[in-house]
Amino acid sequence: MHSLVYRSVASESFTIPQIYGMLSKAKDYNAEHGITGCLLFHNNQFLQLLEGEEGEVLNLFQKISLDKRHHDIQMVESDFIPNRVFEDWSMAFHDYGQNGLSANLKLGQIDSFFQQSDAFNKNSRAVLKFFGSVKDVLFAG
Ligand SMILES: Cc1cc2nc3c(=O)[nH]c(=O)nc-3n(C[C@H](O)[C@H](O)[C@H](O)COP(=O)(O)O)c2cc1C
């Protein structure tokens, strides 16, 4: 099993309704290819964790890297994992919206998001890196 985490910046023309459109196709693809994970969106930034068989994850990431709807793709982590973290989620999505909520509220949202996934109990390095990046994404700029 393989897990990959990256960050990127949404293209200006990529709107929330379009993101939901992309996600509904992505969920079908991911379900067919045994890929699970989650995608966060905040202030035009994406943070995504993909997990599944190594070949499937790398193949999908190759397609995602070529996608013109985002840019400045930065790899955070790509590594073997013993078990899936997001077993039930073909691609969970959380839109934090724009800056407006207080830092504490945002942190509360992250905590409940991760508690729902039971991610902390799975003790995965990719998830810890992901969680660290969530904070970077939420509090950057
Ligand atoms: C931020 C972001 C995340 C994406 N996540 C997925 C995903 O989890 N699964 C998926 O099939 N496509 C995802 N896509 C869409 C892919 O980039 C691509 O459009 C899709 O795999 C279809 O590629 P194809 O037309 O070459 O077959 C994502 C795109 C972006 C911009």
Side-chain angles (χ1 to χ4, degrees):
M1 213 34 68
H2 195 86
S3 177
L4 188 152
V5 179
Y6 73 88
R7 288 172 65 170
S8 66
V9 179
S11 305
E12 267 176 36
S13 54
F14 202 18
T15 61
I16 292 279
Q18 288 169 345
I19 293 175
Y20 278 102
M22 180 279 288
L23 270 170
S24 85
K25 285 190 200 160
K27 284 178 181 169
D28 290 345
Y29 178 94
N30 294 359
E32 277 167 28
H33 291 81
I35 289 176
T36 53
C38 67
L39 177 68
L40 301 188
F41 184 64
H42 176 74
N43 276 356
N44 274 352
Q45 297 184 83
F46 288 114
L47 176 67
Q48 188 171 33
L49 183 148
L50 302 166
E51 55 185 16
E53 291 303 325
E54 183 177 17
E56 293 285 3
V57 170
L58 298 181
N59 186 38
L60 174 58
F61 181 63
Q62 169 78 4
K63 291 200 222 190
I64 292 175
S65 330
L66 296 172
D67 199 315
K68 294 276 181 279
R69 294 172 290 187
H70 64 165
H71 52 88
D72 288 336
I73 297 166
Q74 245 184 293
M75 181 77 81
V76 174
E77 175 86 357
S78 180
D79 205 1
F80 165 84
I81 42 163
N83 297 302
R84 256 178 224 281
V85 173
F86 296 97
E87 280 162 49
D88 303 330
W89 290 351
S90 67
M91 191 47 61
F93 179 64
H94 191 80
D95 173 13
Y96 282 103
Q98 301 299 314
N99 272 325
L101 292 179
S102 74
N104 280 339
L105 262 175
K106 286 178 184 171
L107 274 179
Q109 286 188 344
I110 304 171
D111 275 348
S112 62
F113 186 73
F114 275 83
Q115 266 157 28
Q116 278 171 41
S117 76
D118 203 23
F120 285 131
N121 294 331
K122 309 231 170 113
N123 206 9
S124 136
R125 199 165 66 135
V127 166
L128 294 178
K129 285 248 185 177
F130 183 83
F131 186 72
S133 296
V134 170
K135 292 184 180 162
D136 291 346
V137 166
L138 288 183
F139 297 106

